[in-house]
Each structure stands twice: as C-alpha cells, then as structure tokens.
Amino acid sequence: MKRFAKPALALIAFFAFACQDNPTLAPPVTTGVLVDDSFATNTNGWDGDYTDYGVEQQSLIEFSFTHATLPAPLNQSQKALRVFGRNRSDDLFMFVRKQLTGLAPNTDYKLVFDLEMASLHPSGSIGIGGSPATSVFLKAGASATKPEKVKDGNFYHLSVDKGAQSDEGTAAVILGNVSNGKDVEEYALFQRSNTERPLTARSNANGELWVFVGTDSGFEGDQALYYTKIKVTAL
C-alpha cells in the first residue's frame, strides 16, 4: 500500500490545481460589480439594435451603432458607444446590450445601473412630437433571454417587456431622460442611476443574464447619443 501513496497524492494535487485553474469551476457570482465598462479601446462585448417601428419605416430610420470618438466640445480623444437613429415612428427604442455569464443559475438578482453618457439637448429644448431631451426616456433592463426585436404583423417590438416610453416594464426601469444638464445645445456628459430603485431580474438555468440600456423616444427627429461608462452592480 505504501508504494501507491505518492502517486495517489500527486493525482489529488493535480485535480485540485486543475479545478482552481479552470474558470468554469469557479463559484458563481451572486453579488458585487458585474459590469464596469468604459470604451477607450473597444466595445467590451456590447452591441446595439433598435425597435418599436413599422416595417414601412425601416429604411427611413438609418440606425447605426459604432465605437466612436466623442464630439466637440467633449474630449475627442475619448471613445464611446454611439447610437444614432431617425425617429419616424414617434416611439423609437435604440439600445445597447451585453450578455453576462458565470452567475448563479435560476437566481434573482437586484441590479443597480450607473451610466455616464453624452447628449446634445438641454431640458428646455422642444421638437416634433416632444422634447429631444425630456421626451426621450432612458431605460435600463435585464432578462434571462436576449433582448432583440421581433416582428409582429407589420411592427417590430422588443422581445422582453421594457414598457412604452414613460411607462416601465417588468424587464426595465426608467433612469430619467437625456437632458444634458446645460442651458445650451451642445454635447455634455451626465450621469444616471437607479440606486434607489434596483431592478430584479432572474438568471437562466445556465447562469446567464442579458443587460441592456436604451432610450424610448417620443421625439420625432435625428438623435445621436454616446454611452461612455456602464456599470452594473448586484446587491
């Protein structure tokens, strides 16, 4: 029996090291910072999409999602997630999303979103259909399935319940609007958060969760917005 002791101990040590080195065997994340992204060099896994419009309006919207430098008078050496669209439906939802993994399966998470972004418009601005600042509602959401646009008849809507404009849905909470916090029409950075009202979302059986932030717009015009920081914390 003694001559097998050393090989047996070596085998145990090997498996212990392998488990420690394999991230798939790490304990699932239940609290703490899940996302803390800025976008100096890349999109960090975020992508963009848009919804809430009729099929006949699709060619008019000219939506784009890019990794772009900030506009003047902001620091043009800094990059951000830029979304652009022409709201021809009076209800355009432009958003960015990212999948999270390594969470506890089938578990409720209380999420706080902290955003920094840039907008062109002051709170007193007016526009067709509504203000490009105060009639554009900033939302943050999460779901076990990928939030994406689905076609229902001749209309595209989001696959999860984000609510409609100033109304919240079961999968999203309103963080405020996109007023730039200034008295003039120029791009400025501002922050939004739902610290006082965390959003509860449940992970799927694989310990995955999608998070998204976007704007539900009542302003019928062109709008470009820049997301510079996105942080998501589980309480």
Side-chain angles (χ1 to χ4, degrees):
M1 293 296 291
K2 288 184 180 180
R3 61 180 173 180
F4 293 105
K6 287 185 179 180
L9 289 173
L11 190 62
I12 292 170
F14 170 80
F15 280 112
F17 176 80
C19 290
Q20 184 179 27
D21 194 53
N22 189 342
T24 62
L25 299 178
V29 177
T30 55
T31 59
V33 176
L34 305 181
V35 176
D36 192 1
D37 289 340
S38 56
F39 307 101
T41 58
N42 56 59
T43 64
N44 288 322
W46 292 84
D47 73 336
D49 206 346
Y50 67 111
T51 186
D52 290 13
Y53 63 90
V55 172
E56 70 283 358
Q57 299 163 332
Q58 186 160 10
S59 63
L60 305 174
I61 294 171
E62 299 186 19
F63 172 82
S64 67
F65 166 79
T66 55
H67 183 229
T69 56
L70 290 176
L74 299 174
N75 181 359
Q76 292 182 279
S77 66
Q78 182 180 351
K79 288 196 170 184
L81 304 180
R82 180 184 186 269
V83 292
F84 170 84
R86 291 178 169 166
N87 187 0
R88 296 298 181 261
S89 67
D90 192 29
D91 193 28
L92 185 66
F93 184 64
M94 301 190 297
F95 64 101
V96 297
R97 66 192 163 202
K98 181 175 182 175
Q99 187 183 36
L100 309 183
T101 59
L103 307 179
N106 301 317
T107 300
D108 286 339
Y109 282 81
K110 288 187 176 181
L111 304 176
V112 171
F113 292 77
D114 293 291
L115 307 183
E116 181 183 80
M117 61 188 299
S119 167
L120 179 64
H121 302 287
S123 61
S125 57
I126 58 175
I128 300 172
S131 165
T134 57
S135 295
V136 181
F137 303 96
L138 181 62
K139 295 183 175 181
S143 62
T145 58
K146 183 178 182 179
E148 56 190 340
K149 62 183 172 187
V150 294
K151 186 179 177 183
D152 184 7
N154 291 320
F155 192 79
Y156 289 98
H157 62 85
L158 196 65
S159 58
V160 300
D161 181 16
K162 63 168 181 61
Q165 294 196 12
S166 61
D167 293 328
E168 296 179 345
T170 57
V173 63
I174 292 177
L175 305 187
N177 57 48
V178 297
S179 171
N180 66 5
K182 306 189 80 170
D183 296 325
V184 295
E185 188 175 276
E186 67 177 23
Y187 276 100
L189 294 172
F190 59 90
Q191 292 77 36
R192 297 286 187 268
S193 179
N194 66 319
T195 302
E196 302 300 323
R197 299 176 58 242
L199 172 71
T200 299
R202 189 171 183 83
S203 62
N204 64 22
N206 296 320
E208 300 164 341
L209 196 61
W210 285 85
V211 291
F212 64 95
V213 296
T215 49
D216 218 341
S217 179
F219 163 61
E220 296 183 51
D222 297 4
Q223 190 159 56
L225 298 164
Y226 296 79
Y227 295 93
T228 54
K229 295 179 182 178
I230 303 175
K231 182 177 180 181
V232 185
T233 305
L235 302 181

